[in-house]
Amino acid sequence: ACGGGEPAASELPDPEFSLPPEDATPSDLTPEASPTPTPTPESIDTLKVCGISIITNGQLTGLAFKGVKYENGVLLLDSAVLDSGTTSDILIEFYGGDLEVEVTGECVFTSAGVSSIIGDGSLSLKGEGSLSITATEAAAISVEGSVTAACALNVTGAPAAESAGVSAGEGFSLSENSENSIVVAAAA
């Protein structure tokens, strides 16, 4: 059924093959595996935006949110409009380090019943843009460290900030820092 007789000789040359030297050990015969290098960890362990993990275990996930991206150790907000809506998601939460945020364009955060920004480190805001944060029935910013703003910032909450202190960065002044309101603007 399969055809009998001798198989036809191949026109292809015989593959090169040689036995290992007689004094070879098993480790000489095992191919060297070089593991994929682990990327350099980010400066914080965890970063989530509206519940989407941007950094997990110190590594970027590759996920993003419209108007928000993380690169070179800085969270970039570009005309970002984040709203907890009915989901009660924390808008930005970070753990395991300090968060540096660069604000471009007009950014607006709105949250109800939950803080807009939560973290276990300090929060540093800077940039040419403006950030307006409004939280009802919750602290707008709740961080264990301090808050430094070197951008136009307007925060309203109950309270506006739970932190180790609020200050204005270079070139900016804190025009209001009351229980329910924080206003930072370019220094005159």
Side-chain angles (χ1 to χ4, degrees):
C2 292
E6 288 292 311
S10 169
E11 300 291 320
L12 299 172
D14 286 336
E16 298 259 339
F17 179 77
S18 63
L19 290 170
E22 286 188 27
D23 60 348
T25 64
S27 62
D28 291 337
L29 305 178
T30 307
E32 280 187 40
S34 54
T36 304
T38 302
T40 305
E42 296 298 329
S43 56
I44 58 178
D45 293 336
T46 302
L47 174 63
K48 291 182 180 181
V49 176
C50 294
I52 296 172
S53 293
I54 308 297
I55 297 174
T56 301
N57 297 326
Q59 302 297 323
L60 287 167
T61 62
L63 301 175
F65 199 86
K66 185 179 178 187
V68 180
K69 67 180 176 179
Y70 189 89
E71 61 185 31
N72 302 321
V74 179
L75 181 64
L76 305 170
L77 301 178
D78 186 2
S79 302
V81 177
L82 305 180
D83 188 338
S84 70
T86 57
T87 63
S88 73
D89 275 333
I90 297 164
L91 301 182
I92 295 178
E93 58 183 315
F94 66 98
Y95 303 103
D98 297 336
L99 181 62
E100 187 174 326
V101 179
E102 187 163 335
V103 181
T104 307
E106 191 175 326
C107 300
V108 179
F109 291 4
T110 308
S111 58
V114 64
S115 295
S116 294
I117 301 175
I118 289 181
D120 66 359
S122 292
L123 176 65
S124 174
L125 303 162
K126 66 179 185 179
E128 302 294 318
S130 66
L131 175 58
S132 173
I133 304 173
T134 304
T136 55
E137 300 173 21
I141 299 172
S142 179
V143 295
E144 290 181 21
S146 60
V147 177
T148 304
C151 68
L153 177 67
N154 192 330
V155 180
T156 306
E162 293 173 335
S163 69
V166 177
S167 62
E170 188 175 334
F172 289 81
S173 65
L174 194 58
S175 61
E176 184 173 350
N177 186 8
S178 66
E179 182 179 349
N180 297 318
S181 178
I182 298 170
V183 178
V184 175

